[in-house]
Amino acid sequence: MSNPTLNPPDLPNDPRLQSPSAYDPETIVSALSSFYERLPHIDPSDVHRAPAGGWPQITAESVAARGLHKTPEAVDLLRHLPYIEGRENCWIAPDAYPIDYRAVVTATGGNRPFLWELALSVPRFPPWVIQLTTGDGSSSANYMLDTTDGTVTEYVATGPVYPDPPGLYHKDDPRAWRDQWCNDLTIPLPILVGEWLQKYRTLEFLGMPGKKSWPGVLRHPEEAGGFMWDETEAMRKIYTDHGWPDKYRGDDCREALLQWWEDRRRK
């Protein structure tokens, strides 16, 4: 039996959005591809765009065999997403690296990416929602993409915390999972990755290449002396010394970052 597909026109305006958001798979694929290829700490050659017909190993059958319950639209998006392949987990934002669904359906044992859908005994997400990212432990940033409206919301594994009680959606609204299990920000994916790129450009986000575990992407503290201040200041200098953002020498910078981190670790 196929999963039912939500029909967005049947729903009231989303109370979390200032204006309506529509799902367009080509827009999602294009936004993610461009974002990945412009990340300063990731070698663009490690970003793999799907072949014209989609990734052949990702099918409705292979996704279902893995235990995932997805709508045809969700499966089709997974087949066409870009994926990053590198030496280690390729972090794209603080506490977040993207899930490679090619590995989800083909890898075995401990080599499989972690998915909350498979870890939870009771489903928390509709079948039209896919987990885009994961991370390390309880601090992981798990961004969930809704294929009915193209928005992203961060699932909070330890439970959402709001300044006021949640309840923007009616309890029977199929988007109510956002209130129940996520933080209070829902945003169209192209806008989110655009904001992240700006944070990289201004060196608020500082990415470390080839990092399997934390820290993959650090935030520069707002105040001098804040958490990881010395480290982020050192990373900023390495980036600017290598021409970031307008005359960037990516290969040399990534090697310099890795060497700096290794020297720091040995001290």
Side-chain angles (χ1 to χ4, degrees):
M1 180 182 297
S2 62
N3 292 306
T5 302
L6 181 64
N7 186 16
D10 293 340
L11 297 174
N13 289 337
D14 194 315
R16 289 186 172 212
L17 301 178
Q18 294 183 350
S19 59
S21 176
Y23 172 64
D24 176 22
E26 292 185 1
T27 298
I28 298 296
V29 169
S30 176
L32 280 178
S33 299
S34 176
F35 172 60
Y36 291 165
E37 291 167 351
R38 294 169 66 187
L39 290 174
H41 59 293
I42 290 177
D43 187 333
S45 66
D46 287 336
V47 179
H48 295 181
R49 294 187 181 225
W55 300 108
Q57 61 271 58
I58 302 176
T59 64
E61 292 75 19
S62 66
V63 169
R66 185 65 184 93
L68 298 172
H69 304 284
K70 297 300 174 193
T71 60
E73 291 82 1
V75 173
D76 189 62
L77 180 63
L78 296 177
R79 283 178 52 82
H80 290 88
L81 285 179
Y83 295 112
I84 305 174
E85 189 166 10
R87 289 172 292 180
E88 307 286 356
N89 292 329
C90 294
W91 300 78
I92 61 170
D95 301 312
Y97 57 83
I99 294 169
D100 188 338
Y101 278 85
R102 299 172 303 176
V104 168
V105 299
T106 62
T108 58
N111 294 321
R112 282 176 170 166
F114 178 82
L115 291 172
W116 278 106
E117 182 177 342
L118 299 178
L120 298 168
S121 57
V122 178
R124 293 183 176 178
F125 315 110
W128 51 83
V129 172
I130 65 174
Q131 183 178 343
L132 274 182
T133 67
T134 187
D136 285 348
S138 60
S139 64
S140 62
N142 310 283
Y143 290 96
M144 316 300 289
L145 172 66
D146 193 319
T147 63
T148 65
D149 60 9
T151 63
V152 175
T153 313
E154 184 184 353
Y155 167 63
V156 183
T158 55
V161 177
Y162 296 98
D164 299 303
L168 290 177
Y169 301 101
H170 186 273
K171 63 181 180 65
D172 295 327
D173 191 308
R175 300 165 297 189
W177 60 274
R178 300 172 185 170
D179 274 346
Q180 294 172 304
W181 308 114
C182 299
N183 69 12
D184 56 358
L185 177 65
T186 294
I187 185 170
L189 180 134
I191 295 177
L192 177 64
V193 296
E195 291 178 354
W196 284 352
L197 278 175
Q198 181 61 22
K199 292 178 187 293
Y200 281 106
R201 184 173 180 83
T202 60
L203 298 178
E204 179 182 343
F205 280 8
L206 295 149
M208 176 64 69
K211 292 298 294 179
K212 185 174 184 179
S213 57
W214 185 94
V217 176
L218 288 173
R219 297 178 189 266
H220 189 267
E222 294 182 0
E223 298 182 2
F227 179 66
M228 299 291 281
W229 172 265
D230 291 342
E231 288 80 1
T232 56
E233 283 289 288
M235 292 176 71
R236 277 186 158 188
K237 186 175 187 307
I238 293 171
Y239 272 111
T240 56
D241 284 350
H242 288 84
W244 183 259
D246 296 319
K247 297 182 179 180
Y248 184 52
R249 304 187 306 280
D251 290 340
D252 292 341
C253 186
R254 287 185 284 271
E255 288 300 321
L257 286 166
L258 289 171
Q259 185 60 58
W260 163 77
W261 187 259
E262 180 63 20
D263 293 343
R264 175 190 177 277
R265 187 185 65 82
R266 290 177 176 176
K267 290 181 179 179

